[in-house]
Amino acid sequence: MPSWRPERVGQLIREELSEIFRKELKDPCIGFVTLTGVRMTRDLRTARVFISVMGSSDARESAREALSRATPFLRRALGKRLRLRHTPELLFVYDNTMEQGSRLDALLDSLK
């Protein structure tokens, strides 16, 4: 029997994290980070947060390192906002679907 709870909790975590990024996170190294999605494990202990970063590969790497440093702060802020038994571990993963989409658009335009 499928459970929709991990999807709903993931969506809630994405909304809360984007709010925390917008209002409370003041690290200039993070830059232009977009949360593209959150995938939860079945036991709700781990959240894989997919991010997209505008800029070069150096900007991507510095943003990922800054997010790794900010993880304890983000978990505390999530724990205060969400009513879960356990605040999930946050794993930040770079999502390159935007780059792949723009690369495909460029290839399709070159075929015309």
Side-chain angles (χ1 to χ4, degrees):
M1 188 164 160
S3 172
W4 300 103
R5 184 168 167 91
E7 291 178 21
R8 289 183 295 171
V9 171
Q11 183 180 7
L12 183 62
I13 286 175
R14 186 179 64 81
E15 291 170 2
E16 292 296 331
L17 276 178
S18 63
E19 196 70 22
I20 292 169
F21 277 24
R22 203 168 51 87
K23 291 185 178 178
E24 298 177 26
L25 201 59
K26 304 293 183 202
D27 192 351
C29 293
I30 292 176
F32 296 107
V33 173
T34 304
L35 298 177
T36 58
V38 175
R39 182 163 296 161
M40 299 292 298
T41 56
R42 290 179 136 200
D43 61 357
L44 303 178
R45 298 269 184 156
T46 305
R48 186 173 292 143
V49 182
F50 294 95
I51 59 168
S52 177
V53 181
M54 291 183 63
S56 66
S57 62
D58 294 334
R60 262 186 267 144
E61 188 61 32
S62 67
R64 195 180 59 76
E65 290 173 3
L67 285 172
S68 295
R69 287 192 309 269
T71 299
F73 167 76
L74 294 170
R75 282 192 71 206
R76 264 192 313 277
L78 274 177
K80 290 177 185 175
R81 292 172 176 235
L82 301 178
R83 297 192 44 94
L84 295 174
R85 183 171 295 177
H86 301 283
T87 304
E89 290 286 327
L90 301 175
L91 302 174
F92 292 99
V93 179
Y94 180 69
D95 184 15
N96 62 356
T97 55
M98 298 292 275
E99 291 175 2
Q100 289 175 348
S102 64
R103 193 175 315 132
L104 282 175
D105 283 343
L107 284 172
L108 290 174
D109 287 341
S110 68
L111 292 175
K112 290 182 181 179

